[in-house]
Amino acid sequence: MTPFGERVRALREARGMSLAQMAEGLGVSPAYLSALEHGKRGRPTFTLVQGAIHLLGVIWDEADELVRLADLSHPRVIIDTAGLEPEATLLANRLAREIGLLEGEDLHRLATALDEAAARRDPA
């Protein structure tokens, strides 16, 4: 499941909306929406994200979060390390090979390390 799919499903279920009802409201098939929620389809289009925001009745920060999650929800990621340090290529290849072996806590620690590195680069 993608981050976008997980969040959309949670919002949809919290509002008592079935997958078929949401798919109809978005003008897509239930099979497509299910595949999108489960990460078997690529990143959702801007139009679909905006439709989901409207259909689910989310505003402000929650809408911004759905847009952000949609951008981060491509299930087949390509990492171009050309021109980067050899350690970057090593890390990208190890992550591609081993990500399925990592547990939630491991993933959280890696994401936290990335957040901390971003904060050091761009202190707000």
Side-chain angles (χ1 to χ4, degrees), residues 8-82:
V8 165
R9 175 184 262 181
L11 290 168
R12 177 175 60 72
E13 290 176 348
R15 286 156 176 76
M17 188 182 303
S18 72
L19 184 99
Q21 289 170 324
M22 184 164 183
E24 182 179 339
L26 292 173
V28 299
S29 72
Y32 173 81
L33 184 57
S34 177
L36 186 64
E37 283 186 357
H38 288 91
K40 295 182 176 147
R41 294 298 244 173
R43 183 180 300 126
T45 65
F46 176 80
T47 303
L48 190 132
V49 174
Q50 294 303 310
I53 287 168
H54 175 73
L55 194 59
L56 294 168
V58 298
I59 59 171
W60 305 106
D61 292 344
E62 202 167 30
D64 289 344
E65 178 70 358
L66 275 181
V67 170
R68 186 184 77 78
L69 290 175
D71 186 50
L72 296 172
S73 288
H74 200 295
R76 290 189 171 84
V77 179
I78 297 171
I79 302 174
D80 182 0
T81 61

